[in-house]
Amino acid sequence: MEDDAKKLEEGLHKKDDDLIDKKVATRSDRNGSGDFIAHDHEDEERKKVDAVAPLEEKEIKGEEQPVLVVKQKSKRVATLDAFRGLTIVVMILVDDAGGAYARIDHSPWNGCTLADFVMPFFLFIVGVAIALAFKKIPKINDAVKKIILRTLKLMFWGIILQGGYSHAPDDLAYGVDMKQIRWFGILQRIALVYFVVALIETVTTKLRPTLLAPGHTSIFTAYKWQWIGGFVAFLVYMITTFSLYVPDWSFVVDEKDGPKKFLVKCGMRGHLGPACNAVGYVDRQVWGINHLYTQPVWRRLKACTLSSPSDGPLRKDAPDWCRGPFEPEGLLSSISAILSGVIGIHYGHVLIHFKGHAERLKQWVSMAVVLVIIAIILHFTDAIPINKQLYSFSYVCFTGGAAGLIFSAFYLVIDVWGYRTPFLFLEWIGMNAMLVFVMAAQGIFAAFVNGWYYESEDNNLFFCSNHSGLKFYPGVIK
């Protein structure tokens, strides 16, 4: 069960190793009739066929030879694993240290900090992995069934881990009130992006060419349906964000004196602030206000607390919306997040089709620079500010460009220059990303340590570490 979940998060579900039955007399298959999307296995296949070529003479003489069975082993991309490992490490760092160092924690609203790169980097990685995993699709129907099943599994684990069922590591208890369960979260967003991007890649497998036409933009036209899917997601998000009418809304907070009702005045369209944006309105309507995340990062804004940008008690004159819930992995913002997956799958397509290091880096770096420039222009002209909570278009471009530049740097160092050894630890984390995510970022390991106490539940290693100045914040990528 854990392995299936890991495969989902990575997007690198391995197909069963193909058993290729070859009568050695089929030399014509060596002359280019195969699929040119063979990626890194292409040279290996030539060597395997060349190794058995002498047997062909016996075939020609009429001597009957047994069927040669060659078992292909899939080769993982070291750069992708190392980049995934780096993202996991950054996620754990900002989750554990973000409370003490607010500058690396999520931006309270507009802007981009270290923590804000984690989610789009994951989605970028999922996109790259999908391109590699779906290079060859023997049966489309079977592939679609697997995509649906793995999407459902990932959503299930997302609800279990972040829905409120587990109270680890702070409380040795479990269980959640179904009236307050959190329906959407990190893994659910990854599942949605994976489902859409992988489905488009699968159903269009017969529409894409095996050889690219000459030209710098041929890679875009070859995979036009993936970009059309991303453009549709962009239109849905932008039209809804700027045209949907957001009415007044209210919520109830349990305080010392009992439940208290708060009212937020809105009645507007196209607002990109915390109180009246369309992203929050869609989630309140779809999931219900009681099923949203109750500790949004906007509580660290100056309007809400004097401790800004750190977390602290709310000001007495804080607006009512400071106490309200907001889902950082909401439905509308997750539709925008599909673009991060589309950018990632483009990088995977470049990796497949371009065999030279220089051509790959040229494609990757040029696109990354363009994305960053677009984001900077949109942000500093106040047209569309960079905002992780809303998953704004400028945020997609900025983080997608950053992911492309870092991925290119890793590729240059690991695959071109050959310095792989220093990154082996990151590779291991990347290959076991789901395990590390559950154990470290979701507090399962801390809960295990917390579960061993002496006489009192407070007498445990976790409690002692907290009172020694170390702080642990259970992993919720806000």
Side-chain angles (χ1 to χ4, degrees), residues 93-94 96-106 113-115 300 309-311 469 471 473:
L93 171 66
V94 297
D96 290 354
Y101 304 99
R103 296 298 179 183
I104 68 172
D105 201 357
H106 293 283
T113 63
L114 182 63
R300 295 192 283 109
S310 300
D311 198 5
K471 294 185 178 180
Y473 296 87

Side-chain angles (χ1 to χ4, degrees), residues 95-238:
D95 276 353
D96 290 354
Y101 304 99
R103 296 298 179 183
I104 68 172
D105 201 357
H106 293 283
S107 175
W109 199 245
N110 292 336
C112 191
T113 63
L114 182 63
D116 294 324
F117 287 103
V118 174
M119 173 58 75
F121 277 20
F122 272 133
L123 300 179
F124 175 91
I125 292 165
V126 168
V128 177
I130 288 173
L132 300 178
F134 288 91
K135 287 185 299 184
K136 297 179 181 179
I137 304 174
K139 295 182 180 180
I140 294 179
N141 290 338
D142 291 344
V144 171
K145 290 178 182 178
K146 290 180 180 179
I147 291 171
I148 294 174
L149 180 60
R150 285 162 178 161
T151 299
L152 293 175
K153 287 181 179 180
L154 193 54
M155 287 187 170
F156 169 78
W157 284 112
I159 293 174
I160 293 295
L161 292 172
Q162 287 193 300
Y165 184 80
S166 173
H167 303 264
D170 299 322
D171 189 7
L172 298 180
Y174 63 90
V176 59
D177 184 353
M178 293 300 292
K179 290 183 177 181
Q180 298 179 339
I181 189 172
R182 183 185 176 195
W183 292 116
F184 233 57
I186 303 166
L187 296 182
Q188 294 93 315
R189 169 171 284 179
I190 294 175
L192 176 64
V193 174
Y194 167 80
F195 175 77
V196 174
V197 176
L199 196 62
I200 295 175
E201 185 78 355
T202 300
V203 299
T204 62
T205 181
K206 295 183 179 179
L207 301 177
R208 59 184 186 237
T210 55
L211 285 175
L212 294 180
H216 186 78
T217 61
S218 60
I219 188 71
F220 295 93
T221 56
Y223 291 93
K224 61 182 178 181
W225 291 106
Q226 284 76 358
W227 287 106
I228 290 174
F231 183 68
V232 170
F234 166 78
L235 286 180
V236 170
Y237 173 81
M238 294 295 287

Side-chain angles (χ1 to χ4, degrees), residues 70 165 194 203 205 236 256 260 279 337 378 393 411 437 470:
V70 180
Y165 184 80
Y194 167 80
V203 299
T205 181
V236 170
K256 295 180 180 180
K260 184 178 180 180
V279 172
L378 291 175
F393 179 64
Y411 180 81
F437 174 81
L470 299 176

